[in-house]
């Protein structure tokens, strides 16, 4: 009987959270199931794009934090 892998299993594989035995079974499944391989590749692509995102707080948020820090007497870093 073949184990049915879920998208959650793919995430666990990507982040190396599987046992060695599970890894081997998933790799075999990826080689045999084209749609699972496609989903895996899409996940890798999404992770790569997310890693490239650089977020910056708005000036309004920074000013609010600085104002709050000043009012509570926190020292400047």
């Amino acid at each position: 009987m073949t184990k049915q892998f879920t998208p959650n299993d793919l995430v666990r594989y990507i982040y190396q959270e599987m046992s060695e035995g599970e890894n081997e079974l998933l790799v075999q499944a990826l080689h045999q199931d084209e749609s699972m391989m496609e989903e895996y590749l899409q996940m890798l692509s999404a992770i790569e794009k997310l890693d490239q995102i650089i977020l910056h707080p708005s000036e309004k948020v920074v000013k609010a934090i600085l104002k709050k820090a000043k009012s509570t007497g926190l020292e400047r870093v």
Side-chain angles (χ1 to χ4, degrees), residues 20-75:
E20 192 173 319
E22 283 181 302
N23 259 359
E24 290 176 18
L25 290 174
L26 188 113
V27 169
Q28 289 175 4
L30 285 171
H31 288 291
Q32 295 171 359
D33 186 339
E34 191 174 319
S35 65
M36 185 188 304
M37 178 61 88
E38 182 62 34
E39 187 170 5
Y40 168 70
L41 293 174
Q42 287 175 355
M43 285 183 179
L44 288 179
S45 176
I47 289 168
E48 184 179 311
K49 289 175 184 173
L50 287 171
D51 287 342
Q52 293 174 1
I53 295 174
I54 300 172
L55 300 175
H56 298 283
S58 69
E59 188 174 331
K60 180 180 176 181
V61 169
V62 173
K63 285 182 180 180
I65 292 170
L66 292 173
K67 182 179 177 181
K68 181 69 173 176
K70 190 174 185 177
S71 72
T72 59
L74 296 176
E75 292 183 30

